[in-house]
Amino acid sequence: MKVVQVLPDLDGGGVERGTLEVARGLVAAGHESLVISAGGKLVPQLEREGSRHLTWDLGRKSLFTLRHIWSLRRWMRDYQPDIIHLRSRLPAWIVWLAWKGLPAGQRPHLVTTVHGLYSVSGYSAIMCRGERVIAVSQTVMDYIQNNYPETDSTKLRLINRGIDPEEFPYGFQPSAQWREAWYQQYPQLVSKKVLTLPGRITRLKGHQDLITLVAALKQAGIPVHALIVGGEDPRRQAYADELRARIREEGLDDWITFTGARGDIREIYAVSDVVLSLSNKPESFGRTVVECLSLGVPVAGFGHGGVAETLAELYPEGLVAKGDLNELQQRLQSWFRAGAPEVSGNAVYTLERMISDTLAVYDELTHRSDKQA
């Protein structure tokens, strides 16, 4: 098969990571893999792993982006891909308009993946127009069926995101050298119960709730230290400043640490007593939750969206009603005093299963005798 995946860029993130994982799986299975994007820091890795990259900026929000429709149509006619897999809304519109302009017999098969819980609109509806529509979780499947009921249910495929168990092996422990460097950098963590909240510094991630939680645990006499692990967006500097001001006002400077973006997140998870998921909006898939539970690290999180789905499957002991900080605080006190329930790992949300199921969708389409779906 010739399979083309299309997205805005390859600068990093969950969608981009999944694109590279599927590309790697295609190459390993002997297929031809090509990715169209505006480029980015992941392109060299993509090409090292056997795929080709075509630089085409289809994600720029400008009327000028429409000019690519005719070039794309010519390119599809010449390259004759078997599958075009669309992973983002604006590029999906551009490709779909180009695709519709081809005679039916010359069109490649069209696959879309709904990665997020997008705002419900005609603009977002493009992600349900594939001949096959992949939902990355049951949460997303429900979102599609509830908000776009005109989508033909026979075209829907549930393919949960997955992680590589070799990258997040159960029982993993960092090296002695890493630990030494870590505790030299953060000596305030020694002999403390470590709570970690990963994710970019945005209002969606629940940092204010974390501060409230740490203040309550301090009041209860729990020797806890919280890590906020994630990069700060210069455009949201006011929010980061707001968090630091509140931490100072509440006397929590010695109880909460900002680490910034880190490349050793696996090691940080492994030395955490509990990892938190406090997003105030539902997420499409609880990837962080799955990574931690794969390592055997306890997770506590608000029970909505994909986080509720993954916790219910792998670690229901960590489910807390959305926004219920009192319940969460009581849960953590119990865990810190008596020990958290053991984590059994992850045999459900695996990369191997995700890639196998995705390639099966491609195979299903290309082995049909007609071009209709």
Side-chain angles (χ1 to χ4, degrees):
M1 291 185 286
K2 286 183 180 180
V3 178
V4 180
Q5 299 182 81
V6 186
L7 69 166
D9 60 58
L10 282 172
D11 271 326
V15 176
E16 293 79 0
R17 185 188 301 120
T19 299
L20 260 67
E21 289 166 346
V22 169
R24 193 183 312 131
L26 283 164
V27 171
H31 302 297
E32 189 173 332
S33 167
L34 187 145
V35 174
I36 295 176
S37 83
K41 62 186 180 184
L42 296 177
V43 171
Q45 178 185 344
L46 175 81
E47 294 179 333
R48 278 197 310 272
E49 293 174 349
S51 294
R52 292 171 52 212
H53 181 264
L54 184 60
T55 304
W56 225 325
D57 189 357
L58 304 181
R60 184 183 299 275
K61 293 179 179 178
S62 165
L63 286 173
F64 287 108
T65 305
L66 294 171
R67 74 187 189 278
H68 293 306
I69 293 170
W70 294 272
S71 301
L72 266 171
R73 190 174 296 149
R74 285 195 301 273
W75 177 82
M76 280 191 270
R77 191 181 291 119
D78 292 341
Y79 184 65
Q80 296 184 350
D82 296 293
I83 300 282
I84 292 191
H85 189 161
L86 308 175
R87 293 184 174 273
S88 181
R89 289 174 291 176
L90 183 52
W93 271 110
I94 301 303
V95 173
W96 185 80
L97 289 168
W99 178 84
K100 286 289 284 186
L102 289 171
Q106 294 181 22
R107 294 174 188 163
H109 290 292
L110 208 62
V111 176
T112 58
T113 291
V114 181
H115 284 278
L117 306 174
Y118 314 120
S119 59
V120 179
S121 63
Y123 175 62
S124 299
I126 188 64
M127 300 311 295
C128 297
R129 291 194 184 178
E131 297 175 70
R132 293 294 180 272
V133 179
I134 295 171
V136 301
S137 64
Q138 186 59 51
T139 295
V140 171
M141 181 71 83
D142 294 342
Y143 158 86
I144 294 170
Q145 293 175 321
N146 292 335
N147 295 293
Y148 302 98
E150 68 280 5
T151 305
D152 183 351
S153 61
T154 66
K155 297 181 179 182
L156 294 174
R157 299 291 182 272
L158 172 60
I159 302 180
N160 290 301
R161 300 298 84 183
I163 62 109
D164 185 352
E166 293 185 6
E167 186 179 355
F168 295 92
Y170 188 80
F172 168 81
Q173 289 297 315
S175 68
Q177 294 90 335
W178 183 91
R179 284 178 177 272
E180 182 180 358
W182 174 253
Y183 289 114
Q184 282 181 354
Q185 185 173 5
Y186 301 112
Q188 64 269 37
L189 300 180
V190 175
S191 301
K192 297 291 179 65
K193 298 295 185 181
V194 177
L195 273 179
T196 296
L197 181 64
R200 289 173 294 178
I201 312 298
T202 72
R203 292 189 185 275
L204 299 179
K205 293 296 183 181
H207 301 96
Q208 295 284 7
D209 285 343
L210 176 70
I211 296 171
T212 301
L213 187 64
V214 171
L217 291 170
K218 177 185 177 184
Q219 184 71 26
I222 304 293
V224 69
H225 196 99
L227 298 176
I228 295 175
V229 184
E232 296 182 27
D233 186 337
R235 295 170 299 178
R236 297 185 175 91
Q237 190 60 49
Y239 174 62
D241 293 343
E242 177 186 319
L243 293 175
R244 287 188 169 91
R246 185 183 166 201
I247 290 168
R248 281 195 304 273
E249 289 165 7
E250 300 205 17
L252 297 174
D253 281 316
D254 295 331
W255 294 71
I256 300 176
T257 295
F258 291 79
T259 70
R262 301 278 306 203
D264 51 357
I265 191 65
R266 178 180 66 171
E267 284 75 9
I268 295 172
Y269 290 157
V271 296
S272 301
D273 291 281
V274 179
V275 175
L276 297 173
S277 178
L278 304 178
S279 294
N280 51 51
K281 284 192 174 180
E283 298 183 13
S284 58
F285 178 70
R287 187 182 187 98
T288 294
V289 171
V290 174
E291 289 173 348
C292 294
L293 296 178
S294 293
L295 292 171
V297 176
V299 176
F302 289 151
H304 61 151
V307 169
E309 189 178 329
T310 50
L311 277 173
E313 179 76 42
L314 300 178
Y315 195 63
E317 296 90 344
L319 270 173
V320 176
K322 179 183 179 294
D324 193 336
L325 289 176
N326 184 59
E327 180 188 357
L328 179 55
Q329 185 224 139
Q330 295 298 324
R331 185 83 51 89
L332 292 175
Q333 282 197 46
S334 171
W335 287 5
F336 289 150
R337 287 178 170 142
E342 186 176 353
V343 179
S344 59
N346 162 46
V348 179
Y349 303 102
T350 66
L351 180 59
E352 181 181 10
R353 180 180 292 183
M354 183 190 85
I355 292 173
S356 174
D357 289 351
T358 302
L359 267 58
V361 169
Y362 299 160
D363 192 61
E364 175 189 353
L365 286 172
T366 55
H367 283 77
R368 290 170 62 90
S369 58
D370 62 334
K371 284 280 186 177
Q372 305 302 311

